[in-house]
C-alpha cells in the first residue's frame, strides 16, 4: 500500500510536471498568437475605418413610402462637386422720396401782329367834340395801318389807312403840317384828286382822302377814308405835329433845328452900311417847290 501510494504520488507529480510544462509552453504560444493578432488588427484598422466611412457614404438614404429612391451614377463620387454658392442678402434699398414735378405755367400766346381793333379797310371811329381845344397829337403807325388822334391826351378818333407801297414807302419821323388844301389835284398823276390834303413834306408826302384796299398801296402819302379826312382837316392847324412810326416799339428822334449861317445878311447890316445892296429874300417853299403827289 505504501509502495503503491508512493508510486502513485510520484506518477502524479511527474504528470503534473509534464502538464505544467506543456501548459507553460502553450501559454507562451498563446501570447505570441495574441501579439500577432494585435499587429494584424492594428494594420487592418485604417482600412476597416475607411471601408466603414465609404460604406456609410454609399448607404442610401431611407426613402419614404411611395417615394422613388434617388439613383446616383457610379461616377458621381469622382465628379467634382458643384461649388456651393453662398446666398448674400441684398442690402435694403433706400426708396427716394417722390418728387412732384413743378407745374409748368403755359407761356402766353404770342401777340399777333396787327391792330387790336376790329376795323375793316375803310372803317374808322370819330368822337365828335363840342369844342376842339387843347393840345392835339396825331400818330400814324405803318405796320398796323392805323392813325390815332388825341386831344388833351384823350383818344377822339382812329382809322384805317393805306400808306406807301413797296419801293414808295412812307418815311417815318416827326413832321408838321406845311399846307392845307380842301380840293387838291395831283400835278404829276393826271390831276388825281387828293381831297382834304394836309402836306407833311415838300417832296410829295401828305395826308389826304383816298382809296383804302386794306394794304399799303400809295406812292408815299397816307390815305384816309374821305369822311375821316374831312373831320381831321377841320380840327387841325398849320404847324400841327404829326408823328409817323414804323411800329409802336421803334421810337423816332425829333430833328434838331438847323443853326443860322454866317452868310445871311440882316436888315441891321443894311442900315449900318447903306452902300450894301438890299438882301435878296429866299423864295417861300410853296413858290419854290411843287408837291409831288403820291396817288
Amino acid at each position: 500500500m505504501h509502495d503503491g501510494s508512493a508510486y502513485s504520488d510520484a506518477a502524479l507529480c511527474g504528470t503534473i510536471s509534464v502538464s505544467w510544462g506543456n501548459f507553460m509552453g502553450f501559454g507562451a504560444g498563446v501570447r505570441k498568437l495574441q501579439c500577432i493578432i494585435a499587429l494584424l488588427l492594428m494594420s487592418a484598422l485604417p482600412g476597416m475605418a475607411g471601408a466603414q466611412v465609404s460604406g456609410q457614404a454609399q448607404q442610401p438614404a431611407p426613402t419614404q413610402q411611395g417615394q422613388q429612391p434617388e439613383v446616383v451614377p457610379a461616377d458621381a463620387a469622382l465628379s467634382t462637386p458643384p461649388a456651393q454658392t453662398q446666398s448674400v442678402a441684398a442690402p435694403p434699398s433706400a426708396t427716394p422720396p417722390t418728387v412732384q414735378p413743378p407745374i409748368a405755367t403755359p407761356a402766353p400766346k404770342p401777340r399777333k401782329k396787327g391792330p387790336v381793333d376790329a376795323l375793316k379797310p375803310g372803317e374808322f371811329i370819330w368822337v365828335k367834340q363840342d369844342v376842339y381845344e387843347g393840345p392835339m397829337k396825331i400818330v400814324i403807325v405803318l405796320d398796323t395801318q392805323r392813325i390815332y388822334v388825341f386831344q388833351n391826351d384823350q383818344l377822339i378818333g382812329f382809322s384805317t389807312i393805306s400808306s406807301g407801297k413797296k419801293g414808295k414807302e412812307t418815311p417815318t419821323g416827326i413832321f408838321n403840317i406845311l399846307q392845307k388844301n380842301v380840293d387838291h389835284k395831283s400835278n404829276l398823276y393826271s390831276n388825281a384828286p387828293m381831297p382834304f390834303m394836309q402836306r407833311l413834306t415838300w417832296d410829295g408826302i401828305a395826308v389826304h382822302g383816298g382809296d383804302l384796299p386794306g394794304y399799303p398801296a400809295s406812292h408815299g402819302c397816307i390815305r384816309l377814308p374821305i369822311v375821316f379826312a374831312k373831320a381831321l382837316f377841320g380840327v387841325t392847324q398849320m404847324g400841327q405835329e404829326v408823328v409817323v412810326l414804323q411800329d409802336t416799339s421803334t421810337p423816332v428822334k425829333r430833328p434838331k433845328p438847323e443853326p443860322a449861317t454866317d452868310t445871311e445878311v440882316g436888315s441891321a447890316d443894311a442900315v449900318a452900311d447903306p452902300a450894301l445892296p438890299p438882301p435878296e429874300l429866299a423864295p417861300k417853299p410853296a413858290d419854290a417847290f411843287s408837291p409831288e403827289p403820291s396817288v
Side-chain angles (χ1 to χ4, degrees), residues 158-180:
F158 60 96
S159 173
T160 54
I161 67 169
S162 178
S163 58
K165 60 186 178 181
K166 187 176 181 180
K168 297 286 185 177
E169 290 83 359
T170 302
T172 60
I174 300 175
F175 307 92
N176 297 97
I177 296 177
L178 304 176
Q179 184 184 23
K180 298 179 66 172

Side-chain angles (χ1 to χ4, degrees), residues 148-167:
Y148 301 93
V149 182
F150 301 87
Q151 190 161 41
N152 297 318
D153 293 330
Q154 298 294 324
L155 182 64
I156 64 173
F158 60 96
S159 173
T160 54
I161 67 169
S162 178
S163 58
K165 60 186 178 181
K166 187 176 181 180

Side-chain angles (χ1 to χ4, degrees), residues 132-211:
Y132 293 94
E133 293 180 353
M136 180 174 291
K137 297 178 183 178
I138 301 175
V139 180
I140 299 171
V141 184
L142 299 180
D143 71 334
T144 58
Q145 295 288 281
R146 292 292 186 270
I147 182 173
Y148 301 93
V149 182
F150 301 87
Q151 190 161 41
N152 297 318
D153 293 330
Q154 298 294 324
L155 182 64
I156 64 173
F158 60 96
S159 173
T160 54
I161 67 169
S162 178
S163 58
K165 60 186 178 181
K166 187 176 181 180
K168 297 286 185 177
E169 290 83 359
T170 302
T172 60
I174 300 175
F175 307 92
N176 297 97
I177 296 177
L178 304 176
Q179 184 184 23
K180 298 179 66 172
N181 190 345
V182 174
D183 189 18
H184 184 75
K185 297 291 190 302
S186 171
N187 58 356
L188 292 179
Y189 295 97
S190 304
N191 292 325
M194 301 170 64
F196 306 104
M197 186 274 295
Q198 302 185 75
R199 185 182 300 279
L200 302 181
T201 68
W202 292 110
D203 57 357
I205 305 301
V207 178
H208 61 82
D211 180 52

